[in-house]
Amino acid sequence: MELVTPGIGLIFWQTVTFLIVLFLLGKFAWKPIMKALHDRESSIENALSAAEKAKLEMQALKADNEKLLAEARLERDRILKEATEAGNSIVETAREKANEEGARMLAQAREAIENEKRAAITEVKNMAAALSVDIAERILKRELNDPRAQQALVQEYISGVTLN
């Protein structure tokens, strides 16, 4: 049974050795180990706090980016609206000028047609008067007592006259 139960001497030396190792660890190793653990804990806390700060900054930057994007969209819409209005204004102005020019040209054309018409009527009247005078002159030059001879002469002159 000696194998299962340790002897008193063995327990004593193991306890003494344990206390010596415990004293040496407490004196020389415990403080550096605790300091290393504390340093590691504080570096982890700093890293977590830096990550939280970075997360907050990213959220702020994202909000700023969204705000800038919204402003840019508004500016784009405003510029497009102004460009559309300017284009419509230019088209409307050009349309009005074209209508005015067309109306002016139409009025000029009507006036020119009216002038040509008057000139043509005047020319026809002058030709008719000249023709009448010519016929009367020819009739008077000839002495015609006979009405049939007068009628034949008039028919001859009428058929011989061509109107331009």
Side-chain angles (χ1 to χ4, degrees), residues 51-117:
E52 188 64 31
K53 269 187 192 176
K55 181 180 175 184
L56 292 175
E57 287 178 8
M58 287 299 290
Q59 287 174 349
L61 286 174
K62 185 177 178 183
D64 287 345
N65 286 343
E66 288 175 2
K67 181 181 174 186
L68 287 174
L69 187 60
E71 288 175 2
R73 285 182 182 146
L74 289 175
E75 183 70 14
R76 179 201 63 194
D77 291 343
R78 184 187 62 79
I79 289 172
L80 286 175
K81 183 180 177 186
E82 288 176 1
T84 303
E85 289 173 356
N88 289 340
S89 173
I90 290 170
V91 167
E92 189 61 33
T93 303
R95 184 178 292 135
E96 288 174 4
K97 284 183 181 179
N99 287 340
E100 290 172 4
E101 184 67 20
R104 185 184 61 77
M105 290 175 70
L106 189 60
Q108 285 178 346
R110 284 184 180 156
E111 187 177 329
I113 290 171
E114 189 63 33
N115 289 340
E116 290 293 324
K117 182 179 167 185

Side-chain angles (χ1 to χ4, degrees), residues 104-152:
R104 185 184 61 77
M105 290 175 70
L106 189 60
Q108 285 178 346
R110 284 184 180 156
E111 187 177 329
I113 290 171
E114 189 63 33
N115 289 340
E116 290 293 324
K117 182 179 167 185
R118 282 191 213 124
I121 289 173
T122 303
E123 187 178 338
V124 168
K125 284 181 182 178
N126 289 340
M127 285 178 63
L131 185 59
S132 296
V133 169
D134 189 38
I135 290 173
E137 183 181 330
R138 286 184 185 179
I139 290 176
L140 289 177
K141 280 186 182 178
R142 276 180 148 184
E143 277 190 24
L144 298 173
N145 292 334
D146 186 19
R148 278 193 238 163
Q150 285 179 357
Q151 188 70 16

